[in-house]
């Protein structure tokens, strides 16, 4: 692996009684994306603030692009982009003027700054609103303008703290594409997110942060494998066939089957992957059980997150199912609900 573009060792930071960072170690190899995941208050933003020179740690060391964050903060600032840093989106300038201003602050010629501004406005779906003052922008539009501002100078190392919170699905995906292009061009990225599918899609490596510490680290697949938990899910066409279907599945189950009569769904924990799925289909067929839907479900990052940071659900215990699975009746995860709340704040 190439050398670390971002590295942190033993970062500690307290605010009064709160140990926001309790010994954070991180390293992000050049040209890769690290996704920082963690529940509210885990220390993600504090980590980003330390690494981007906005906050001094009480202890520990950090460097960005090989430059010591504590010794040479000015140098570090010239090498990084941070979403939120230029949220000084000037309300009374137009979208285009905002981006041009950033370019000119970074010594781009007026022409180059305008060209870059137009390119970004197009990429972020703001071309039509480019000539309007930012004061008239919606929350999602401001968020995109802010991100575009962080990208004006194509810094080698970027920090994005919850870049897509508050964006609708279409704009979120558009931003993912922009981020993927950046990374393909060699940018190193540290990204915090509450959207696990975002980490799954964008991050090479994931660090799960909890109570100011990194409690797990690996690729999405490694983290999923770590908690195990393959299951077969079958939805039968007719709920009268549920008992027969359970009978067919039982020999393959390595734990208790779960039956949800209202959705006609049976879930059984299994091992053996696709082979089991084929066997199960044969067994169901032999009993003439009509299958509406069947699939092998591997754990999602949601499952990983909840299993690792079990206490995430503490403040939400009253909303949990009896089996401790923090999914609400509509299937939205606790993380999703948290994200939803944040969204409401944007
Ligand atoms: N300036 C501050 N003054 C006091 N406490 C702070 C300050 N900044 C952070 N904290 C506390 O430090 C802890 C970590 O906060 P941080 O903002 O880093 O969490 P986070 O992981 O970014 O959470 P979220 O998902 O809600 O954004 C929290 O308990 C928070 O209340
Ligand atoms: Mg935060």
């Amino acid at each position: 692996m190439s050398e670390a573009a971002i590295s942190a060792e033993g970062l500690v930071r307290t605010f009064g009684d709160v140990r926001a960072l309790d010994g954070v170690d991180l390293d992000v190899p050049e040209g890769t994306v690290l996704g920082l995941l963690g529940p509210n208050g885990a220390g993600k933003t504090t980590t980003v603030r330390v690494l981007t020179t906005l906050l001094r740690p009480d202890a520990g060391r950090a460097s960005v692009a090989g430059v010591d964050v504590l010794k040479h903060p000015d140098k570090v600032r010239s090498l990084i982009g941070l979403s939120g840093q230029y949220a000084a989106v000037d309300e009374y300038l137009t979208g285009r003027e905002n981006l041009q201003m950033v370019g000119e602050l970074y010594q781009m010629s007026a022409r180059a700054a305008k060209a870059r501004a137009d390119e970004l406005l197009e990429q972020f779906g703001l071309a039509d609103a480019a000539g309007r003052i930012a004061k008239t922008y919606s929350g999602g539009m401001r968020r995109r303008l802010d991100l575009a501002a962080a990208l004006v100078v194509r810094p080698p190392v970027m920090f994005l703290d919850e870049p897509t919170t508050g964006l609708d699905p279409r704009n979120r995906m558009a931003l993912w594409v922009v981020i993927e292009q950046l990374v393909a061009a060699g940018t190193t990225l540290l990204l915090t997110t509450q959207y696990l599918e975002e980490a799954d899609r964008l991050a090479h490596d994931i660090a799960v942060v909890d109570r100011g510490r990194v409690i797990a680290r690996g690729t999405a697949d490694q983290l999923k494998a770590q908690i195990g938990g393959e299951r077969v899910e079958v939805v039968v066409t007719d709920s009268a066939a549920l008992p027969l279907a359970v009978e067919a599945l039982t020999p393959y189950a390595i734990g208790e089957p779960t039956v949800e009569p209202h959705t006609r769904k049976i879930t059984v924990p299994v091992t053996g992957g696709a082979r089991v799925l084929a066997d199960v289909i044969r067994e169901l067929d032999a009993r003439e059980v009509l299958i509406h839907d069947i699939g092998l479900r591997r754990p999602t990052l949601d499952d990983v997150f909840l299993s690792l940071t079990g206490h995430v659900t503490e403040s939400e215990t009253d909303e949990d199912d009896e089996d401790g699975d923090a999914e609400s009746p509509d299937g939205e995860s606790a993380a999703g609900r948290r994200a939803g709340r944040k969204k409401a704040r944007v």
Side-chain angles (χ1 to χ4, degrees):
M1 264 293 168
S2 50
E3 74 180 81
I6 303 171
S7 97
E9 245 183 79
L11 294 179
V12 173
R13 173 69 204 216
T14 54
F15 295 104
D17 293 341
V18 179
R19 242 174 134 72
L21 302 183
D22 190 20
V24 167
D25 299 321
L26 284 178
D27 62 288
V28 189
E30 219 176 282
T32 69
V33 181
L34 177 72
L36 219 52
L37 287 182
N40 292 141
K44 302 180 298 294
T45 296
T46 306
T47 303
V48 169
R49 292 184 68 210
V50 168
L51 293 172
T52 55
T53 78
L54 300 176
L55 184 73
R56 283 185 78 85
D58 301 329
R61 295 190 328 189
S63 70
V64 171
V67 181
D68 191 302
V69 171
L70 297 172
K71 288 190 192 134
H72 307 290
D74 290 342
K75 179 106 198 281
V76 168
R77 269 176 231 143
S78 73
L79 294 167
I80 61 175
L82 166 64
S83 114
Q85 186 173 14
Y86 310 108
V89 157
D90 190 322
E91 301 242 294
Y92 293 96
L93 293 182
T94 66
R96 181 182 290 111
E97 286 164 349
N98 262 288
L99 298 185
Q100 266 177 267
M101 187 184 67
V102 175
E104 286 171 26
L105 280 176
Y106 278 89
Q107 326 288 324
M108 287 166 93
S109 71
R111 231 178 96 205
K114 178 169 181 309
R116 181 68 181 139
D118 284 338
E119 190 180 3
L120 286 164
L121 289 162
E122 189 64 45
Q123 253 180 344
F124 282 84
L126 291 170
D128 289 344
R132 268 168 46 196
I133 59 169
K135 197 173 163 48
T136 67
Y137 281 18
S138 71
M141 289 165 80
R142 276 171 203 236
R143 183 94 196 138
R144 281 180 277 150
L145 185 60
D146 177 41
L147 281 157
L151 300 179
V152 167
V153 290
R154 294 191 181 88
V157 182
M158 294 269 321
F159 295 85
L160 302 180
D161 194 6
E162 302 205 23
T164 65
T165 298
L167 296 187
D168 61 34
R170 189 175 56 89
N171 280 310
R172 173 168 308 138
M173 276 186 239
L175 183 70
W176 288 350
V177 172
V178 174
I179 292 174
E180 281 165 347
Q181 287 167 352
L182 269 176
V183 175
T187 305
T188 304
L189 176 63
L190 187 149
L191 164 96
T192 81
T193 182
Q194 298 274 353
Y195 300 110
L196 303 176
E197 79 269 26
E198 183 162 291
D200 219 348
R201 163 142 178 194
L202 295 177
H204 298 109
D205 241 333
I206 291 169
V208 182
V209 184
D210 193 25
R211 299 178 182 173
R213 293 182 149 267
V214 176
I215 57 165
R217 174 78 195 253
T219 63
D221 283 343
Q222 285 167 345
L223 292 175
K224 288 175 195 172
Q226 195 177 315
I227 66 160
E230 260 182 350
R231 338 185 238 300
V232 168
E233 286 181 356
V234 182
V235 179
V236 296
T237 306
D238 179 358
S239 56
L242 281 170
L244 265 180
V246 170
E247 188 186 296
L249 287 161
T250 301
Y252 302 95
I254 57 164
E256 281 298 303
T258 313
V259 182
E260 295 170 42
H262 57 293
T263 52
R264 308 185 312 280
K265 181 158 103 178
I266 306 168
T267 307
V268 289
V270 298
T271 57
R275 189 177 43 75
V276 172
L277 196 58
D279 291 347
V280 165
I281 291 171
R282 267 195 295 279
E283 295 277 352
L284 289 166
D285 233 17
R287 287 172 177 76
E288 297 181 350
V289 174
L290 294 180
I291 304 167
H292 176 71
D293 195 13
I294 188 162
L296 185 68
R297 188 169 177 255
R298 297 205 160 86
T300 63
L301 266 186
D302 255 299
D303 301 325
V304 172
F305 185 76
L306 291 170
S307 129
L308 286 169
T309 65
H311 79 97
V312 171
T313 57
E314 265 174 22
S315 60
E316 300 176 312
T317 321
D318 48 348
E319 296 171 45
D320 287 358
D321 302 334
E322 278 164 17
D323 61 5
D325 182 349
E327 288 205 334
S328 54
D330 61 1
E332 197 193 1
S333 68
R337 288 199 302 275
R338 281 193 308 281
R341 279 204 291 277
K342 291 175 85 83
K343 189 168 170 174
R345 268 193 264 134
V346 167

